[in-house]
Structures are given as structure tokens and as C-alpha cells.
């Protein structure tokens, strides 16, 4: 349970912080080409990763605190989607987190090229 919640919190952190750093901190210019956008992506992601190390404890504490709520929520999702187990719900959420992050990062880099 905590693992799922930690993954959701990490996805939220990386997506939101990446967008904030990309747009407001690094202020990556548009029209610089795909190679320069990819290089800027690596630099921004490095800063985001460094920040994630600072907030790791807080995210873990939040995950532990609200794990019982997420367990009930997973049961609701399991019944709504007619899945066999909570492990299946976990797999769906993992796929959604990876898909969301990959799509967002890819679209931002391509839009700024």
C-alpha cells in the first residue's frame, strides 16, 4: 500500500516540479532544436532529482499516514473496474504513472524544440 502511495506521490512531485523548473526556474527557450531541448531536459531533471532527495522523508511520512485511506480507495477501484485483486489495481496505477510522466516529459521537450 505504501509503495503505491509513494509511487503516486513521486509521480506528482516529479511532474509538478519538472514543469515548475522548466517554465519558471530554468526558463528554457523555445525553438532551440531537439538536441538542445534534450540537454535542457537532462539539466532540469537533475535539479528536480536533487530536490526530491530533500523531500523524500516528507513524502514517505505522508504515504505512511494516509495508507489506510488509499487501501480503502483501492478496494473501491478494484470493484469499479472489476479487477481480481489489489495487485491488479497496483499494476494499473503503475502503468498510469509511467504513461503520464513519459507523455508529459516527451510533449514538453518536443513542444520546446
Amino acid at each position: 500500500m505504501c509503495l503505491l502511495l509513494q509511487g503516486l506521490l513521486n509521480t506528482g512531485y516529479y511532474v509538478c516540479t519538472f514543469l515548475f523548473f522548466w517554465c519558471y526556474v530554468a526558463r528554457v527557450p523555445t525553438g532551440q532544436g531537439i538536441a538542445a531541448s534534450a540537454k535542457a531536459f537532462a539539466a532540469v531533471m537533475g535539479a528536480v532529482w536533487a530536490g526530491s532527495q530533500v523531500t523524500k522523508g516528507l513524502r514517505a511520512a505522508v504515504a505512511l499516514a494516509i495508507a489506510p485511506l488509499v487501501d480503502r480507495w483501492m478496494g473501491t477501484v478494484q470493484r469499479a473496474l472489476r479487477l481480481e485483486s489489489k495487485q491488479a489495481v497496483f499494476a494499473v496505477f503503475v502503468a498510469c504513472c509511467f504513461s503520464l510522466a513519459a507523455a508529459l516529459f516527451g510533449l514538453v521537450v518536443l513542444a520546446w524544440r
Side-chain angles (χ1 to χ4, degrees):
M1 189 58 45
C2 284
L3 184 60
L4 172 67
L5 193 50
Q6 185 71 20
L8 292 173
L9 290 172
N10 283 342
T11 301
Y13 169 82
Y14 274 93
V15 165
C16 294
T17 308
F18 171 78
L19 288 173
F20 176 75
F21 268 71
W22 186 270
C23 295
Y24 297 109
V25 177
R27 295 186 180 163
V28 177
T30 59
Q32 60 182 352
I34 192 74
S37 290
K39 186 176 179 180
F41 172 80
V44 168
M45 196 51 83
V48 170
W49 177 82
S52 78
Q53 301 311 299
V54 174
T55 62
K56 189 181 286 190
L58 176 63
R59 286 181 281 131
V62 169
L64 282 172
I66 63 175
L69 296 173
V70 174
D71 187 49
R72 281 185 258 148
W73 180 59
M74 284 180 69
T76 302
V77 171
Q78 180 184 355
R79 287 185 297 280
L81 297 178
R82 295 184 176 102
L83 298 172
E84 293 182 19
S85 66
K86 287 185 181 176
Q87 288 81 9
V89 176
F90 180 83
V92 167
F93 281 112
V94 168
C96 288
C97 285
F98 277 119
S99 298
L100 170 73
L104 176 86
F105 298 151
L107 286 173
V108 167
V109 169
L110 289 175
W112 257 260
R113 65 176 168 86

